[in-house]
Amino acid sequence: MLIVFALLALTLLAAANWYLWRRLFRDTTRGPGRARRGGAALLAGGWALAIGAVVAERTGAPFWLQRVLAWPGFLWLAVSVYLLLAVLAGEAVRPLLRRLLERRARAGTTAGAAVAPARPEPLPVGARAAGEAADGTPPTPVSVTTPERSRRLFVSRAVAGAAAAAALGTVGYGTYGVLRGPRVKRVTVPLAKLPRAAHGYRIAVVSDIHLSPVLGRDFAQKVVDTINGTQPDLIAVVGDLVDGSVKDLGPAAAPLARLKARHGSYFVTGNHEYFSGAAQWVEEVRRLGLDPLENARTELPWFDLAGVNDIAGESEGQGPDFAKALGDRDTARACVLLAHQPVQIHDAVRHGVDLQLSGHTHGGQLWPGNFLAAAANPTVAGLERYGDTQLYVSRGAGAWGPPTRVGAPSDITVVELASTH
């Protein structure tokens, strides 16, 4: 089954790139030449870099090689997505442009027909036609571009140029949005069991920072400065902190030691920690001053804070254990659960959790990825209620793969708890 899926994916990828080459290079040139060969090399080289970046990251290649491949490779992934979408959108514009040009051509022909053409002067006896050789041989035929062909070429170049500009502009702006750092979002969540003394308690929720060969120490510092600027009572880091090993990314994560909150900072694993050495990262965040909640619970003054491991940990025998984290607790107290993936909400409901804080979805990250994220997750972003349990999903602070977001801006959310008493 896996082989069939891989072959199908490769077939679709090849078809999409052939279509891009045809519309961007073949249809915009008069014939075979350097432009078409260069276009084929550009598409093939971009995908070679993209595949190399993914493989280098997942196999733990030398960090310098990861950094060399990451920027061009991952950005090509984003550019190719929006090139394809823009060229597809151009199919609707193409016939309209051709029709407009044909109308103008007909109008010009009609206007020209009103003027009688001058009668050509007859050739003198013995004179040769223009271009005829001295021995009477007819001239060599010359390739003539017909008006229809010229119009098609103009339309193809206009649509291809607009598609390229739209794709590069979209990716450029989306990348700037990530690199400038996440913005603060504020949400008020009423909890029936929260005592009045805790009204206004603030939890800074940050997920999916994704420190990597692309997003490094400077990005981590921006995240820390933004969180500290909200002056939270508690900080919750809900998974997918890194895409790489402690050896490679430990220095990038160092600014986390400067996180400040009245009741401390807490961490739960995400699926990407299990691609990067989860046990080592748990120890590293503990060394930096965060408190890992590995299927564990702590009693804060006004509510219980619990955390469960990510589902990906099941492959290592370290999956989520709700009974261990939530069993034997005082159910009269409010309970806030940190769980990386929104799909864990169903277990949270069964265990009487009042509020689950999650990430994982990135809000879709690259539109129209939000539709795929919605198919795989009960909530893509924001606050929703499931029975007596509320779920808040952050879009995350960073980005996986392309350091780019389109239609899903990054955020750090300050969740303000409200007492109903």
Side-chain angles (χ1 to χ4, degrees):
M1 185 65 182
L2 184 61
I3 295 176
V4 173
F5 179 78
L7 288 174
L8 179 61
L10 285 173
T11 301
L12 291 173
L13 183 62
N17 280 278
W18 175 84
Y19 170 70
L20 283 176
W21 175 83
R22 176 186 168 189
R23 284 308 197 198
L24 295 176
F25 300 101
R26 194 195 75 173
D27 293 353
T28 59
T29 53
R30 297 183 185 277
R34 284 181 294 179
R36 293 187 183 184
R37 291 193 297 271
L42 175 65
L43 295 175
W47 280 104
L49 287 170
I51 293 170
V54 174
V55 171
E57 180 185 288
R58 289 300 175 91
T59 58
F63 195 58
W64 67 265
L65 179 60
Q66 293 185 47
R67 297 186 71 176
V68 167
L69 294 173
W71 271 105
F74 285 130
L75 281 177
W76 174 254
L77 287 175
V79 169
S80 62
V81 167
Y82 289 104
L83 267 178
L84 182 59
L85 291 173
V87 171
L88 286 170
E91 297 296 347
V93 178
R94 194 178 295 270
L96 299 176
L97 274 178
R98 281 204 301 266
R99 198 170 299 129
L100 177 62
L101 292 175
E102 288 168 1
R103 286 178 181 174
R104 286 188 174 183
R106 283 197 299 269
T109 301
T110 303
V115 180
R119 180 176 295 180
E121 293 291 333
L123 288 172
V125 176
R128 289 184 288 271
E132 186 178 289
D135 60 0
T137 305
T140 303
V142 178
S143 176
V144 178
T145 301
T146 65
E148 174 62 22
R149 180 177 171 80
S150 293
R151 285 194 294 269
R152 287 182 177 275
L153 191 62
F154 174 81
V155 168
S156 293
R157 289 176 175 176
V159 172
L168 292 173
T170 298
V171 173
Y173 184 75
T175 302
Y176 165 74
V178 171
L179 297 182
R180 74 182 176 188
R183 294 296 184 253
V184 175
K185 182 179 179 182
R186 298 180 185 275
V187 176
T188 300
V189 181
L191 298 181
K193 297 178 185 177
L194 190 73
R196 186 172 181 178
H199 185 79
Y201 192 95
R202 290 167 298 165
I203 303 175
V205 182
V206 59
S207 73
D208 303 280
I209 299 174
H210 285 287
L211 298 178
S212 67
V214 173
L215 300 178
R217 186 186 182 102
D218 289 345
F219 183 75
Q221 187 62 58
K222 289 179 183 178
V223 170
V224 169
D225 290 343
T226 302
I227 292 173
N228 288 344
T230 67
Q231 298 181 322
D233 297 302
L234 183 146
I235 298 169
V237 183
V238 288
D240 279 8
L241 171 64
V242 291
D243 284 307
S245 66
V246 172
K247 175 174 69 71
D248 291 335
L249 293 174
L256 297 176
R258 293 190 282 274
L259 286 172
K260 297 177 182 178
R262 184 159 58 108
H263 289 150
S265 303
Y266 294 84
F267 170 81
V268 292
T269 55
N271 54 309
H272 281 248
E273 269 72 59
Y274 293 96
F275 306 147
S276 309
Q280 291 84 2
W281 274 111
V282 167
E283 289 308 310
E284 180 66 9
V285 298
R286 181 178 282 116
R287 188 185 70 80
L288 293 172
L290 283 76
D291 190 354
L293 292 174
E294 298 182 276
N295 297 323
R297 180 178 79 253
T298 183
E299 293 186 0
L300 297 175
W302 299 297
F303 61 92
D304 292 341
L305 181 70
V308 291
N309 294 347
D310 186 72
I311 299 168
E314 292 174 351
S315 61
E316 302 179 12
Q318 298 294 326
D321 188 335
F322 284 82
K324 181 179 178 183
L326 299 168
D328 301 326
R329 73 178 188 86
D330 181 1
T331 56
R333 286 169 54 87
C335 179
V336 177
L337 174 70
L338 310 184
H340 178 63
Q341 298 197 37
V343 294
Q344 295 172 284
I345 184 62
H346 306 298
D347 289 303
V349 171
R350 284 192 289 272
H351 286 83
V353 169
D354 297 279
L355 172 64
Q356 175 178 315
L357 301 175
S358 299
H360 183 62
T361 68
H362 297 206
Q365 186 168 328
L366 297 173
W367 183 93
N370 55 305
F371 297 109
L372 296 176
N377 296 277
T379 298
V380 174
L383 182 67
E384 290 190 5
R385 177 178 288 276
Y386 295 83
D388 292 330
T389 303
Q390 296 181 80
L391 168 64
Y392 180 77
V393 181
S394 167
R395 288 189 297 253
W400 178 82
T404 310
R405 285 174 171 265
V406 177
S410 57
D411 70 61
I412 290 168
T413 304
V414 175
V415 173
E416 186 171 304
L417 305 181
S419 173
T420 58
H421 297 289

